[in-house]
mmCIF file of all heavy atoms in Angstrom:
data_model
loop_
_atom_site.group_PDB
_atom_site.id
_atom_site.type_symbol
_atom_site.label_atom_id
_atom_site.label_comp_id
_atom_site.label_asym_id
_atom_site.label_seq_id
_atom_site.Cartn_x
_atom_site.Cartn_y
_atom_site.Cartn_z
ATOM 1 N N PHE J 272 -25.463 2.219 39.116
ATOM 2 C CA PHE J 272 -25.887 0.864 39.439
ATOM 3 C C PHE J 272 -24.865 -0.172 38.945
ATOM 4 O O PHE J 272 -24.660 -1.169 39.646
ATOM 5 C CB PHE J 272 -27.229 0.595 38.767
ATOM 6 C CG PHE J 272 -28.362 1.427 39.266
ATOM 7 C CD1 PHE J 272 -29.521 1.656 38.532
ATOM 8 C CD2 PHE J 272 -28.335 2.027 40.529
ATOM 9 C CE1 PHE J 272 -30.553 2.438 38.978
ATOM 10 C CE2 PHE J 272 -29.330 2.839 41.018
ATOM 11 C CZ PHE J 272 -30.458 3.042 40.209
ATOM 12 N N TRP J 273 -24.286 0.054 37.776
ATOM 13 C CA TRP J 273 -23.369 -0.906 37.236
ATOM 14 C C TRP J 273 -22.077 -1.030 38.090
ATOM 15 O O TRP J 273 -21.327 -1.976 37.999
ATOM 16 C CB TRP J 273 -22.962 -0.505 35.783
ATOM 17 C CG TRP J 273 -23.935 -1.065 34.787
ATOM 18 C CD1 TRP J 273 -24.978 -0.418 34.235
ATOM 19 C CD2 TRP J 273 -24.003 -2.395 34.249
ATOM 20 N NE1 TRP J 273 -25.680 -1.211 33.394
ATOM 21 C CE2 TRP J 273 -25.120 -2.462 33.376
ATOM 22 C CE3 TRP J 273 -23.233 -3.509 34.443
ATOM 23 C CZ2 TRP J 273 -25.409 -3.600 32.678
ATOM 24 C CZ3 TRP J 273 -23.553 -4.710 33.758
ATOM 25 C CH2 TRP J 273 -24.662 -4.705 32.897
ATOM 26 N N GLN J 274 -21.825 -0.003 38.888
ATOM 27 C CA GLN J 274 -20.645 -0.032 39.737
ATOM 28 C C GLN J 274 -20.884 -0.672 41.093
ATOM 29 O O GLN J 274 -19.953 -0.859 41.854
ATOM 30 C CB GLN J 274 -20.127 1.387 39.902
ATOM 31 C CG GLN J 274 -19.669 2.077 38.588
ATOM 32 C CD GLN J 274 -19.416 3.561 38.785
ATOM 33 O OE1 GLN J 274 -19.496 4.114 39.857
ATOM 34 N NE2 GLN J 274 -19.170 4.245 37.639
ATOM 35 N N ARG J 275 -22.156 -1.003 41.365
ATOM 36 C CA ARG J 275 -22.482 -1.626 42.659
ATOM 37 C C ARG J 275 -23.059 -3.001 42.437
ATOM 38 O O ARG J 275 -23.919 -3.198 41.634
ATOM 39 C CB ARG J 275 -23.505 -0.738 43.384
ATOM 40 C CG ARG J 275 -23.054 0.672 43.625
ATOM 41 C CD ARG J 275 -23.708 1.337 44.835
ATOM 42 N NE ARG J 275 -25.134 1.313 44.787
ATOM 43 C CZ ARG J 275 -25.932 2.386 44.564
ATOM 44 N NH1 ARG J 275 -25.359 3.535 44.291
ATOM 45 N NH2 ARG J 275 -27.225 2.262 44.582
ATOM 46 N N ASP J 276 -22.468 -3.949 43.164
ATOM 47 C CA ASP J 276 -22.787 -5.335 42.954
ATOM 48 C C ASP J 276 -24.281 -5.626 43.142
ATOM 49 O O ASP J 276 -24.839 -5.335 44.199
ATOM 50 C CB ASP J 276 -21.985 -6.212 43.974
ATOM 51 C CG ASP J 276 -22.131 -7.687 43.662
ATOM 52 O OD1 ASP J 276 -22.154 -8.062 42.504
ATOM 53 O OD2 ASP J 276 -22.190 -8.480 44.661
ATOM 54 N N GLY J 277 -24.922 -6.197 42.112
ATOM 55 C CA GLY J 277 -26.314 -6.579 42.200
ATOM 56 C C GLY J 277 -27.355 -5.491 41.968
ATOM 57 O O GLY J 277 -28.538 -5.802 41.821
ATOM 58 N N GLU J 278 -26.924 -4.217 41.949
ATOM 59 C CA GLU J 278 -27.869 -3.110 41.814
ATOM 60 C C GLU J 278 -28.526 -3.068 40.433
ATOM 61 O O GLU J 278 -29.711 -2.745 40.374
ATOM 62 C CB GLU J 278 -27.170 -1.786 42.138
ATOM 63 C CG GLU J 278 -26.861 -1.550 43.573
ATOM 64 C CD GLU J 278 -28.141 -1.382 44.438
ATOM 65 O OE1 GLU J 278 -28.648 -0.284 44.512
ATOM 66 O OE2 GLU J 278 -28.541 -2.406 45.017
ATOM 67 N N MET J 279 -27.763 -3.400 39.386
ATOM 68 C CA MET J 279 -28.349 -3.347 38.097
ATOM 69 C C MET J 279 -29.398 -4.439 37.920
ATOM 70 O O MET J 279 -30.457 -4.249 37.308
ATOM 71 C CB MET J 279 -27.272 -3.467 37.017
ATOM 72 C CG MET J 279 -27.765 -3.090 35.628
ATOM 73 S SD MET J 279 -28.347 -1.394 35.534
ATOM 74 C CE MET J 279 -29.462 -1.494 34.109
ATOM 75 N N LEU J 280 -29.110 -5.613 38.440
ATOM 76 C CA LEU J 280 -30.103 -6.717 38.375
ATOM 77 C C LEU J 280 -31.358 -6.331 39.158
ATOM 78 O O LEU J 280 -32.454 -6.605 38.755
ATOM 79 C CB LEU J 280 -29.501 -8.006 38.973
ATOM 80 C CG LEU J 280 -28.543 -8.761 38.033
ATOM 81 C CD1 LEU J 280 -27.893 -9.915 38.768
ATOM 82 C CD2 LEU J 280 -29.246 -9.248 36.795
ATOM 83 N N LYS J 281 -31.162 -5.651 40.338
ATOM 84 C CA LYS J 281 -32.330 -5.215 41.075
ATOM 85 C C LYS J 281 -33.155 -4.247 40.284
ATOM 86 O O LYS J 281 -34.393 -4.333 40.237
ATOM 87 C CB LYS J 281 -31.873 -4.620 42.421
ATOM 88 C CG LYS J 281 -33.058 -4.168 43.274
ATOM 89 C CD LYS J 281 -32.668 -3.953 44.741
ATOM 90 C CE LYS J 281 -32.047 -2.612 44.948
ATOM 91 N NZ LYS J 281 -31.970 -2.233 46.394
ATOM 92 N N PHE J 282 -32.495 -3.291 39.637
ATOM 93 C CA PHE J 282 -33.221 -2.297 38.853
ATOM 94 C C PHE J 282 -33.971 -2.920 37.689
ATOM 95 O O PHE J 282 -35.160 -2.615 37.410
ATOM 96 C CB PHE J 282 -32.251 -1.244 38.298
ATOM 97 C CG PHE J 282 -32.904 -0.139 37.516
ATOM 98 C CD1 PHE J 282 -33.928 0.594 38.089
ATOM 99 C CD2 PHE J 282 -32.471 0.198 36.265
ATOM 100 C CE1 PHE J 282 -34.534 1.638 37.357
ATOM 101 C CE2 PHE J 282 -33.051 1.198 35.554
ATOM 102 C CZ PHE J 282 -34.090 1.949 36.101
ATOM 103 N N LEU J 283 -33.340 -3.871 37.001
ATOM 104 C CA LEU J 283 -34.024 -4.565 35.903
ATOM 105 C C LEU J 283 -35.215 -5.385 36.440
ATOM 106 O O LEU J 283 -36.303 -5.394 35.793
ATOM 107 C CB LEU J 283 -33.059 -5.503 35.186
ATOM 108 C CG LEU J 283 -31.903 -4.814 34.407
ATOM 109 C CD1 LEU J 283 -30.890 -5.837 33.922
ATOM 110 C CD2 LEU J 283 -32.443 -3.990 33.255
ATOM 111 N N ALA J 284 -35.087 -5.976 37.583
ATOM 112 C CA ALA J 284 -36.229 -6.724 38.168
ATOM 113 C C ALA J 284 -37.340 -5.747 38.525
ATOM 114 O O ALA J 284 -38.526 -6.092 38.287
ATOM 115 C CB ALA J 284 -35.732 -7.452 39.452
#
Side-chain angles (χ1 to χ4, degrees):
F272 296 157
W273 274 98
Q274 296 170 6
R275 303 205 306 252
D276 188 38
E278 287 293 276
M279 193 61 203
L280 282 174
K281 180 164 82 167
F282 182 53
L283 292 172

